[in-house]
PDB file of all heavy atoms in Angstrom:
ATOM      1  N   GLY A 202    -183.949  88.404  48.254  1.00  0.00           N
ATOM      2  CA  GLY A 202    -182.790  88.887  49.024  1.00  0.00           C
ATOM      3  C   GLY A 202    -182.660  90.441  49.096  1.00  0.00           C
ATOM      4  O   GLY A 202    -183.736  91.103  48.726  1.00  0.00           O
ATOM      5  N   CYS A 203    -181.605  90.945  49.558  1.00  0.00           N
ATOM      6  CA  CYS A 203    -181.548  92.368  49.717  1.00  0.00           C
ATOM      7  C   CYS A 203    -180.049  92.834  49.350  1.00  0.00           C
ATOM      8  O   CYS A 203    -179.152  92.013  49.309  1.00  0.00           O
ATOM      9  CB  CYS A 203    -181.766  92.757  51.195  1.00  0.00           C
ATOM     10  SG  CYS A 203    -180.689  92.028  52.420  1.00  0.00           S
ATOM     11  N   LEU A 204    -180.043  94.075  48.992  1.00  0.00           N
ATOM     12  CA  LEU A 204    -178.795  94.757  48.694  1.00  0.00           C
ATOM     13  C   LEU A 204    -178.827  96.181  49.186  1.00  0.00           C
ATOM     14  O   LEU A 204    -179.976  96.712  49.372  1.00  0.00           O
ATOM     15  CB  LEU A 204    -178.500  94.752  47.129  1.00  0.00           C
ATOM     16  CG  LEU A 204    -178.053  93.551  46.447  1.00  0.00           C
ATOM     17  CD1 LEU A 204    -177.967  93.798  45.016  1.00  0.00           C
ATOM     18  CD2 LEU A 204    -176.598  93.144  46.962  1.00  0.00           C
ATOM     19  N   ARG A 205    -177.707  96.802  49.468  1.00  0.00           N
ATOM     20  CA  ARG A 205    -177.709  98.232  49.836  1.00  0.00           C
ATOM     21  C   ARG A 205    -176.753  98.942  48.879  1.00  0.00           C
ATOM     22  O   ARG A 205    -175.566  98.638  48.809  1.00  0.00           O
ATOM     23  CB  ARG A 205    -177.122  98.382  51.288  1.00  0.00           C
ATOM     24  CG  ARG A 205    -177.275  99.861  51.790  1.00  0.00           C
ATOM     25  CD  ARG A 205    -176.806  99.878  53.187  1.00  0.00           C
ATOM     26  NE  ARG A 205    -177.033 101.122  53.871  1.00  0.00           N
ATOM     27  CZ  ARG A 205    -176.009 101.905  54.311  1.00  0.00           C
ATOM     28  NH1 ARG A 205    -174.766 101.450  54.301  1.00  0.00           N
ATOM     29  NH2 ARG A 205    -176.303 103.052  54.956  1.00  0.00           N
ATOM     30  N   LEU A 206    -177.279  99.845  48.178  1.00  0.00           N
ATOM     31  CA  LEU A 206    -176.471 100.641  47.290  1.00  0.00           C
ATOM     32  C   LEU A 206    -176.065 102.039  47.992  1.00  0.00           C
ATOM     33  O   LEU A 206    -176.793 102.532  48.764  1.00  0.00           O
ATOM     34  CB  LEU A 206    -177.307 101.059  46.013  1.00  0.00           C
ATOM     35  CG  LEU A 206    -177.883  99.876  45.219  1.00  0.00           C
ATOM     36  CD1 LEU A 206    -178.584 100.452  43.968  1.00  0.00           C
ATOM     37  CD2 LEU A 206    -176.855  98.879  44.876  1.00  0.00           C
ATOM     38  N   SER A 207    -174.812 102.410  47.639  1.00  0.00           N
ATOM     39  CA  SER A 207    -174.325 103.600  48.151  1.00  0.00           C
ATOM     40  C   SER A 207    -173.927 104.595  47.067  1.00  0.00           C
ATOM     41  O   SER A 207    -173.516 104.157  45.944  1.00  0.00           O
ATOM     42  CB  SER A 207    -173.115 103.368  49.051  1.00  0.00           C
ATOM     43  OG  SER A 207    -173.412 102.561  50.157  1.00  0.00           O
ATOM     44  N   CYS A 208    -174.095 105.854  47.320  1.00  0.00           N
ATOM     45  CA  CYS A 208    -173.730 106.883  46.336  1.00  0.00           C
ATOM     46  C   CYS A 208    -172.903 107.937  47.101  1.00  0.00           C
ATOM     47  O   CYS A 208    -173.432 108.538  48.027  1.00  0.00           O
ATOM     48  CB  CYS A 208    -174.980 107.551  45.764  1.00  0.00           C
ATOM     49  SG  CYS A 208    -174.648 108.909  44.631  1.00  0.00           S
ATOM     50  N   GLU A 209    -171.667 108.030  46.727  1.00  0.00           N
ATOM     51  CA  GLU A 209    -170.802 109.128  47.371  1.00  0.00           C
ATOM     52  C   GLU A 209    -170.546 110.277  46.477  1.00  0.00           C
ATOM     53  O   GLU A 209    -170.186 110.075  45.282  1.00  0.00           O
ATOM     54  CB  GLU A 209    -169.490 108.374  47.840  1.00  0.00           C
ATOM     55  CG  GLU A 209    -169.606 107.323  48.859  1.00  0.00           C
ATOM     56  CD  GLU A 209    -168.290 106.767  49.264  1.00  0.00           C
ATOM     57  OE1 GLU A 209    -167.319 107.166  48.683  1.00  0.00           O
ATOM     58  OE2 GLU A 209    -168.288 105.972  50.212  1.00  0.00           O
ATOM     59  N   ALA A 210    -170.649 111.477  46.956  1.00  0.00           N
ATOM     60  CA  ALA A 210    -170.479 112.677  46.247  1.00  0.00           C
ATOM     61  C   ALA A 210    -169.132 113.287  46.585  1.00  0.00           C
ATOM     62  O   ALA A 210    -168.621 113.194  47.676  1.00  0.00           O
ATOM     63  CB  ALA A 210    -171.568 113.698  46.510  1.00  0.00           C
ATOM     64  N   SER A 211    -168.462 113.897  45.590  1.00  0.00           N
ATOM     65  CA  SER A 211    -167.165 114.516  45.817  1.00  0.00           C
ATOM     66  C   SER A 211    -167.324 115.888  46.493  1.00  0.00           C
ATOM     67  O   SER A 211    -166.340 116.298  47.077  1.00  0.00           O
ATOM     68  CB  SER A 211    -166.483 114.635  44.442  1.00  0.00           C
ATOM     69  OG  SER A 211    -167.241 115.556  43.592  1.00  0.00           O
ATOM     70  N   GLY A 212    -168.441 116.494  46.431  1.00  0.00           N
ATOM     71  CA  GLY A 212    -168.643 117.742  47.016  1.00  0.00           C
ATOM     72  C   GLY A 212    -169.779 117.791  48.043  1.00  0.00           C
ATOM     73  O   GLY A 212    -170.419 116.794  48.282  1.00  0.00           O
ATOM     74  N   ARG A 213    -169.983 119.004  48.532  1.00  0.00           N
ATOM     75  CA  ARG A 213    -171.080 119.060  49.519  1.00  0.00           C
ATOM     76  C   ARG A 213    -172.431 118.971  48.815  1.00  0.00           C
ATOM     77  O   ARG A 213    -172.644 119.722  47.867  1.00  0.00           O
ATOM     78  CB  ARG A 213    -170.925 120.333  50.325  1.00  0.00           C
ATOM     79  CG  ARG A 213    -169.641 120.381  51.190  1.00  0.00           C
ATOM     80  CD  ARG A 213    -169.621 121.603  52.012  1.00  0.00           C
ATOM     81  NE  ARG A 213    -170.627 121.474  53.129  1.00  0.00           N
ATOM     82  CZ  ARG A 213    -170.940 122.426  53.925  1.00  0.00           C
ATOM     83  NH1 ARG A 213    -170.397 123.701  53.768  1.00  0.00           N
ATOM     84  NH2 ARG A 213    -171.760 122.280  54.980  1.00  0.00           N
TER      85      ARG A 213
END
Side-chain angles (χ1 to χ4, degrees):
C203 58
L204 283 173
R205 185 179 189 239
L206 305 183
S207 299
C208 176
E209 294 184 354
S211 61
R213 297 186 71 187

